[in-house]
Amino acid sequence: MHDATHPLLDQVQALGTELRQGHLDAVSYLHQLARRLRLQFKCSQVSAWRLCVHAGVTRASCLAWDCDDRHAPARAAPEAVEGHPAYFEMLRRQGFIASADTHVDEALGSVRARYLQPGAPRALLDVAFTVNGHVFGVLCCEELSRPRHWSAEELKLLRRVGSRVALHLKALEGQPSAPAREAAPDAPD
């Protein structure tokens, strides 16, 4: 059976072409990607994060964020998250985290306090993107106001997008553009 290309994958590929040709820098590429993902998945917000490990502690820095109009005025863009080794280990191990309800999901027990804070995601679909087997970023689709089931098709699509994002950002390595290097992976410790 032929696996048809999803229109979102075509859009991501077009963004990658613009990035490679220098029409977009990495941050603009990720912002446009976040907007397209939020619209495709019809969720409250989408963010793209860069991961780096220093002295055994994983730090995630938000590179791009897109939030629907209902939530944008009430919530500032995320900046950085540090620690949470159980979450990052799960992400490394399986390549994604899907939670229909962060308040009761047993898999998120070790980081539950983070999700009980005001404005925290109530449901999430997080997918890692990797280069040479090392996780260096995460795409996060989140529902802020209610639990939400994520379908197998949504997970598959987001994983495919994550794979393309990894290829696009990997292609930036070695290019002299400073904005492009902002989103390029750090070498693991």
Side-chain angles (χ1 to χ4, degrees), residues 41 96-98 125-127 150-160:
F41 288 91
F96 70 94
I97 296 173
L125 179 61
D126 295 354
V127 170
W150 303 96
S151 71
E153 292 79 23
E154 288 173 319
L155 173 59
K156 180 181 176 183
L157 179 58
L158 191 58
R159 291 185 85 170
R160 290 177 70 190

Side-chain angles (χ1 to χ4, degrees), residues 28-76:
S28 297
Y29 162 85
L30 289 170
H31 278 286
Q32 288 191 35
L33 174 70
R35 168 64 49 100
R36 284 173 171 81
L37 289 173
R38 186 182 60 77
L39 294 173
Q40 173 66 43
F41 288 91
K42 297 177 177 70
C43 57
S44 302
Q45 69 182 17
V46 170
S47 53
W49 297 75
R50 175 181 173 187
L51 302 183
C52 57
V53 179
H54 182 69
V57 175
T58 301
R59 179 176 173 83
S61 300
C62 186
L63 298 175
W65 175 72
D66 188 76
C67 190
D68 70 16
D69 292 338
R70 293 175 300 153
H71 296 95
R75 182 165 162 88

Side-chain angles (χ1 to χ4, degrees), residues 80-96:
V81 176
E82 191 169 283
H84 305 294
Y87 168 87
F88 290 116
E89 180 54 33
M90 187 182 342
L91 195 59
R92 281 185 193 89
R93 191 175 61 250
Q94 61 189 35
F96 70 94

Side-chain angles (χ1 to χ4, degrees), residues 129-177:
F129 47 95
T130 63
V131 169
N132 298 328
H134 297 286
V135 175
F136 75 92
V138 185
L139 297 174
C140 302
C141 294
E142 300 170 335
E143 188 61 50
L144 298 178
S145 59
R146 62 182 169 78
R148 174 190 172 156
H149 171 76
W150 303 96
S151 71
E153 292 79 23
E154 288 173 319
L155 173 59
K156 180 181 176 183
L157 179 58
L158 191 58
R159 291 185 85 170
R160 290 177 70 190
V161 168
S163 294
R164 292 194 183 195
V165 169
L167 292 173
H168 295 159
L169 295 180
K170 177 67 174 171
L172 293 179
E173 286 186 5
Q175 291 184 3
S177 169

Side-chain angles (χ1 to χ4, degrees), residues 86 90 102 104-113 115:
M90 187 182 342
T102 59
V104 298
D105 190 331
E106 290 181 24
L108 297 176
S110 65
V111 291
R112 173 101 46 247
Y115 295 110

